[in-house]
Amino acid sequence: MSKSVVILLSGGLDSTTLLHHLRRLSPGLVLHALTMHYGQKHARETVCAAWQAAAAQVRAHHLVDLACLGQITAHGSTLTGRRPVPAMSEIREDQLDQPPTYVPNRNLVFLSLAAAYAEAHGIDEVFYAAQQQDFYGYWDCTKAFQEKLNSLLGLNRRAPVTVRAPFADLDKAAVLKIGVAAEVDYAHTWTCYRGGELACGVCPACVERLAAFQRVGLPDPLAYE
Amino acid sequence: MSKSVVILLSGGLDSTTLLHHLRRLSPGLVLHALTMHYGQKHARETVCAAWQAAAAQVRAHHLVDLACLGQITAHGSTLTGRRPVPAMSEIREDQLDQPPTYVPNRNLVFLSLAAAYAEAHGIDEVFYAAQQQDFYGYWDCTKAFQEKLNSLLGLNRRAPVTVRAPFADLDKAAVLKIGVAAEVDYAHTWTCYRGGELACGVCPACVERLAAFQRVGLPDPLAYE
């Protein structure tokens, strides 16, 4: 029987790269992709996720309605709340470990649901595309986070699920290089935090993405405002 | 400023007892109650949760639409799937640590969302009513689970949330005694796993509840089939 894994696929640069990287490493791998819709300001990412899931020939792609996370955290985040997403230049240095775009506990909520899905389907690995971010220090993208979560999930002796973050030591440019090798079509990814027709180019996510393309020496195929 | 806490309130015996126990210990405590609707076979519990939340004068009671957990785990649980809930007498001894009514990873999903809510609202404690179950050994009700989860959440240095399970060392009869002291009205709680008009009296949850009332020497105010 072929090995099956679950992958958290947002439709952004990192998770799309991970998806195609896994497919490239292991053509027979059975992939179950979960995309969380949690009340972001737009659905652009989820459309890209569906496109990429099809391109990577996943066995199943589930769009998970997690609007409740947006409702629960609207108070604390510009990604799910009413306040506008700031430009990178508006973020103070002392906010970098937890900028206004941080969604409280998002990764643990996503990974808990992914582990529930994995356990219910007899799958023992969940992949997510945490990477060593260039500008931020999100606590829930660290190796310590991954290790402690795996220690917790290991208590489930009947069905221990292991979370894997193979990009945890890489920065975004290194991730992008892997994606270029895997022939990822980045025109079908979405990174911008704002909800415009074109990517804004100034929000923290756009700035980080553009810097990665620049460092790798490639043009970003997305159109920017 | 009064202390605020989040409590997971299902509307069952344990969490209802915890709610009123906290209220009794600390009349000024600001309580935020979260009730998860995750695709259970009935909404009886959530109606009871709303009644109890009002009785305990919580500041906010949120019914969280977590139907996605039911969809994700329908494959693996009789609580959220199509297979019927078994009677206690049908559960084999080797299933006791993870009976067919177990919902994969449910507690971690609930607690992750509760921690997200807490963090977004500047609250640093989440209470849940895990207790030392009489018949089962759910991995996600243990003290080890609680400790490892707190170690994980502690990585969030800006807003570490602590999960508290004050009933973790108690069995259901001991919890019931605490509730009796707190004058809980157990007529407005719901425990049965099945979706009938009356509680069935034979599913694992009913059997456990009835045994607790019997050991405490009180009649259960609920009507049974």
Side-chain angles (χ1 to χ4, degrees):
Chain A
M1 212 174 78
S2 301
K3 168 90 180 160
S4 296
V5 303
V6 175
I7 177 171
L8 285 176
L9 178 67
S10 71
L13 188 150
D14 303 316
S15 65
T16 297
T17 302
L18 180 56
L19 174 74
H20 291 284
H21 177 61
L22 291 175
R23 170 55 72 229
R24 187 184 181 220
L25 286 180
S26 178
L29 190 66
V30 176
L31 291 158
H32 294 246
L34 300 182
T35 299
M36 306 293 177
H37 190 69
Y38 59 97
Q40 304 97 311
K41 291 187 169 169
H42 56 82
R44 303 290 291 264
E45 267 190 338
T46 55
V47 172
C48 290
W51 193 95
Q52 297 291 354
Q57 296 182 288
V58 305
R59 170 74 51 90
H61 177 229
H62 298 280
L63 188 58
V64 178
D65 179 358
L66 199 58
C68 63
L69 180 64
Q71 291 153 12
I72 279 175
T73 61
H75 206 72
S77 171
T78 62
L79 269 204
T80 55
R82 280 191 206 151
R83 283 180 296 151
V85 175
M88 186 70 201
S89 56
E90 295 172 288
I91 296 183
R92 299 190 314 269
E93 200 162 327
D94 66 331
Q95 291 180 308
L96 283 183
D97 65 329
Q98 208 155 100
T101 50
Y102 165 77
V103 178
N105 217 20
R106 177 175 54 185
N107 280 348
L108 187 55
V109 172
F110 287 5
L111 290 167
S112 303
L113 281 165
Y117 179 94
E119 184 177 345
H121 292 79
I123 297 171
D124 65 5
E125 284 187 316
V126 169
F127 282 81
Y128 88 121
Q131 41 100 3
Q132 189 155 9
Q133 307 209 346
D134 298 335
F135 306 120
Y136 301 151
Y138 290 136
W139 68 281
D140 53 0
C141 288
T142 59
K143 289 198 91 161
F145 174 83
Q146 188 190 336
E147 282 160 14
K148 283 179 185 283
L149 178 54
N150 282 333
S151 172
L152 176 65
L153 293 172
L155 292 173
N156 182 358
R157 278 169 304 168
R158 280 218 184 215
V161 171
T162 303
V163 169
R164 308 240 182 248
F167 296 165
D169 287 327
L170 306 180
D171 64 17
K172 213 174 193 73
V175 171
L176 183 55
K177 275 185 202 159
I178 290 172
V180 171
E183 298 180 22
V184 173
D185 183 350
Y186 287 108
H188 293 275
T189 59
W190 188 261
T191 299
C192 181
Y193 282 152
R194 295 176 175 174
E197 185 59 34
L198 300 177
C200 73
V202 297
C203 75
C206 280
V207 169
E208 205 172 14
R209 174 179 170 127
L210 285 166
F213 272 98
Q214 195 167 32
R215 268 193 289 149
V216 174
L218 285 174
D220 185 341
L222 277 191
Y224 286 82
E225 272 176 14
Chain B
M1 210 175 79
S2 299
K3 168 89 181 163
S4 297
V5 303
V6 175
I7 177 171
L8 284 176
L9 177 67
S10 72
L13 188 150
D14 303 316
S15 65
T16 298
T17 302
L18 180 57
L19 174 74
H20 291 283
H21 177 61
L22 292 174
R23 170 55 72 231
R24 187 185 182 220
L25 287 180
S26 177
L29 190 66
V30 176
L31 290 158
H32 294 246
L34 299 182
T35 299
M36 305 294 177
H37 188 68
Y38 60 97
Q40 304 97 311
K41 290 187 170 171
H42 56 83
R44 303 289 291 265
E45 268 189 338
T46 55
V47 172
C48 290
W51 193 95
Q52 297 290 355
Q57 297 182 287
V58 305
R59 170 73 53 89
H61 177 227
H62 298 281
L63 188 58
V64 179
D65 179 0
L66 199 57
C68 63
L69 180 63
Q71 291 153 12
I72 279 175
T73 60
H75 206 73
S77 170
T78 62
L79 270 205
T80 54
R82 281 192 203 150
R83 283 179 297 151
V85 174
M88 186 69 201
S89 56
E90 296 171 290
I91 295 182
R92 299 189 317 268
E93 199 160 328
D94 67 330
Q95 291 181 309
L96 283 182
D97 65 329
Q98 207 155 102
T101 51
Y102 165 77
V103 178
N105 218 21
R106 178 175 53 185
N107 281 348
L108 187 56
V109 172
F110 287 5
L111 290 166
S112 303
L113 281 164
Y117 178 95
E119 184 176 346
H121 291 80
I123 298 171
D124 64 5
E125 284 187 315
V126 170
F127 282 82
Y128 87 121
Q131 40 101 3
Q132 189 156 6
Q133 308 210 344
D134 298 335
F135 306 120
Y136 300 153
Y138 289 136
W139 70 281
D140 53 0
C141 287
T142 59
K143 290 199 91 162
F145 174 85
Q146 188 190 338
E147 282 160 15
K148 283 179 185 283
L149 177 55
N150 283 333
S151 172
L152 176 66
L153 293 172
L155 292 173
N156 183 357
R157 278 169 304 169
R158 281 221 182 212
V161 171
T162 302
V163 169
R164 308 244 183 244
F167 296 165
D169 287 327
L170 306 181
D171 63 18
K172 213 175 195 74
V175 171
L176 183 54
K177 276 185 200 158
I178 289 173
V180 171
E183 298 181 22
V184 173
D185 183 350
Y186 287 109
H188 293 276
T189 60
W190 188 260
T191 299
C192 180
Y193 281 152
R194 294 176 176 173
E197 187 58 33
L198 300 177
C200 74
V202 297
C203 76
C206 280
V207 168
E208 205 172 14
R209 175 180 170 125
L210 285 166
F213 272 98
Q214 194 167 30
R215 267 191 290 149
V216 173
L218 285 172
D220 185 341
L222 278 191
Y224 285 83
E225 273 177 12

